[in-house]
Amino acid sequence: MDRVPRELPGARAPHWLRALPWALLVVVETAQFLTPETVQLGFVFAVLPMLASLAYGMAGTLLVSTAIMLLLALPEARAEHISSGDLLALGLIGAVSTLLAWVRGRRNAQLVTVRTVAEAAQYAVLPPLPPRVGPVRCGALYQAAVHTALVGGDLYDVQPGPYGVRAVVADVKGHGLGAVSTVAALLGAFREAVLDEPELAGVAARMDRRLVVDAARREDEELFATALLLEFPTRGGGGRGAAEGAEPLAGTGGGPGGAGAEALAGTGGGPGGAGAEAGRGAEAGGADVVGGPGGAGAGAEAGGPGGGGPRPDGGPPVEARLLSCGHPPPFVVGRAGAREVAMESGPPLGLGLTRSAAPEPLTVALEPSCVLLAYTDGVTEARDASGRFYPLGERVRPEREPVALVRAVWRDLSAYTGEIADDVALLALRVDPGE
């Protein structure tokens, strides 16, 4: 699920409108047959061809008009007050209605062509996300604030590169069609930077520079964007995030002997954390571990007491690096529920401060069953009928598959808010070790 399916308003006549001309024809003719001659209903027949031209094309309108003429031409069905002049007038109305239906059909065909070209251009800016990029399984959802648009002021992308698989979720200033050019510029800068920049801070700086240049060209001093950059490094890949350890996530650390790793909200580690589990934490670069009891500061889903036993899913943790430029932090969704990653945020893109003021990327070790869920503020700022914001962390339910997760969040968000007036983007990522 990549885009929320939407049909162009008015592109297809509803079923009730297509059935209406025929139903009125039967009702009027029956009423005319049963009522006295003093009740004249013939004028209603003149409306039916026009009505048919709104619901049908040229052939359907001609069929309705011909049916009316044949019905009124029969002596048994023709009322006495309907003269030959009335039949001629009805014939002319039918011919004009058929011509109008033909013109409307051509116009609709032109609109479909224009919309197809527009959709192709929008898909070129933000193409559908594949279900897998390298070892990373992907699930994404996008809804633009403009009802008929496919791209608005939010963006996401996942790209492979020499330094691993990198992803971005961003929200530019404004929404709707006016922000599409900024979205295209940011995506272009991101796709180039992932190939050249060895660090996430360098990727953010390239995107920041792009916005600064565009703002100067447009003389727009308020052109900015918030962004969350994610990286799943290649095996054995270095980088400052892995070398310097991780920032603490929400919650308390593990039990005795934790090897430089912090934990998400959940239970602390058990005894013996300095054993095999600590070694594993050290291999993950002093990373935060999402998991259950176990050493090295594990959270709610790591291995059992002592940290040296096998993990429930049979695989080691996978490493992810995160860098926020004024963007909401992601959630880690696992079997125990969803927890927000506690991380420092730098300035938004477009202010020219990213390279000098960006924090160090946060390195997180995730269990293979966990999914990283990133989003834009159109999700958490959506309100219900009473004005309450959507509590994403409280309502998200564990889903191992990223596509299933974003679908479940979207269904719940739609039921919670009814109609959403802002751009919405969801991106869920999960790494399969060994793939």
Side-chain angles (χ1 to χ4, degrees):
M1 185 175 188
D2 202 32
R3 302 297 201 282
V4 177
R6 288 174 168 180
E7 187 171 330
L8 185 67
R12 178 179 301 180
H15 295 297
W16 66 266
L17 183 57
R18 296 171 66 87
L20 189 58
W22 297 105
L24 285 178
L25 179 59
V26 173
V27 170
V28 172
E29 183 59 32
T30 302
Q32 185 69 75
F33 181 78
L34 297 177
T35 55
E37 289 299 326
T38 54
V39 179
Q40 298 184 6
L41 301 176
F43 68 92
V44 181
F45 290 109
V47 179
L48 299 183
M50 295 288 189
L51 188 60
S53 68
L54 298 176
Y56 295 99
M58 181 179 176
T61 305
L62 181 60
L63 180 61
V64 172
S65 302
T66 303
I68 294 173
M69 294 297 297
L70 292 176
L71 185 62
L72 296 180
L74 294 175
E76 295 82 1
R78 178 177 175 181
E80 293 183 1
H81 64 270
I82 297 180
S83 64
S84 299
D86 294 332
L87 291 178
L88 179 60
L90 288 173
L92 290 175
I93 292 174
V96 171
S97 299
T98 302
L99 178 62
L100 291 176
W102 176 73
V103 172
R104 187 179 64 84
R106 289 198 61 183
R107 186 202 63 181
N108 286 348
Q110 293 172 349
L111 289 176
V112 168
T113 301
V114 171
R115 186 172 188 245
T116 302
V117 173
E119 286 184 353
Q122 293 178 81
Y123 276 122
V125 172
L126 192 65
L129 197 64
R132 179 188 292 273
V133 177
V136 180
R137 292 181 179 271
C138 309
L141 179 138
Y142 196 101
Q143 175 182 269
V146 178
H147 186 70
T148 56
L150 299 176
V151 179
D154 292 352
L155 64 98
Y156 54 72
D157 198 11
V158 182
Q159 293 289 328
Y163 307 103
V165 176
R166 287 171 168 173
V168 62
V169 177
D171 184 1
V172 308
K173 170 203 168 188
H175 60 265
L177 297 177
V180 173
S181 61
T182 307
V183 167
L186 275 180
L187 283 172
F190 170 76
R191 290 163 184 167
E192 287 294 324
V194 297
L195 301 176
D196 302 328
E197 297 290 341
E199 297 291 341
L200 285 180
V203 178
R206 292 272 290 268
M207 297 172 70
D208 176 72
R209 183 181 64 181
R210 177 73 268 167
L211 284 187
V212 170
V213 172
D214 288 352
R217 189 186 70 234
R218 301 182 198 175
E219 298 182 353
D220 184 358
E221 297 180 355
E222 296 183 354
L223 183 61
F224 66 91
T226 66
L228 176 69
L229 295 170
L230 306 95
E231 178 184 83
F232 299 94
T234 53
R235 290 185 177 275
R240 287 195 302 256
E244 297 178 6
E247 296 294 329
L249 294 182
T252 53
E262 301 293 340
L264 284 178
T267 348
E277 192 68 15
R280 187 174 297 162
E283 291 175 1
D288 302 281
V289 178
V290 181
E301 292 176 10
R311 294 185 179 274
D313 48 29
V318 293
E319 185 179 288
R321 297 175 190 154
L322 312 175
L323 177 64
S324 173
C325 299
H327 200 82
F331 282 90
V332 177
V333 183
R335 289 186 295 269
R339 303 175 186 87
E340 186 178 73
V341 177
M343 60 183 301
E344 182 183 356
S345 178
L349 303 176
L351 304 181
L353 304 173
T354 301
R355 185 173 291 277
S356 59
E360 290 294 330
L362 175 70
T363 302
V364 180
L366 305 171
E367 290 299 320
S369 61
C370 292
V371 181
L372 268 176
L373 177 64
Y375 59 94
T376 57
D377 60 9
V379 177
T380 51
E381 293 182 1
R383 301 171 183 256
D384 63 5
S386 62
R388 292 175 297 181
F389 290 110
Y390 179 71
L392 175 60
E394 299 174 9
R395 297 179 68 95
V396 67
R397 295 293 178 265
E399 284 284 356
R400 181 177 171 85
E401 290 302 320
V403 173
L405 177 61
V406 297
R407 285 177 175 172
V409 172
W410 173 250
R411 285 194 301 266
D412 187 62
L413 177 64
S414 301
Y416 184 87
T417 62
E419 184 175 357
I420 303 170
D422 197 3
D423 298 316
V424 168
L426 290 164
L427 179 64
L429 304 172
R430 179 173 68 85
V431 177
D432 284 333
E435 294 191 11

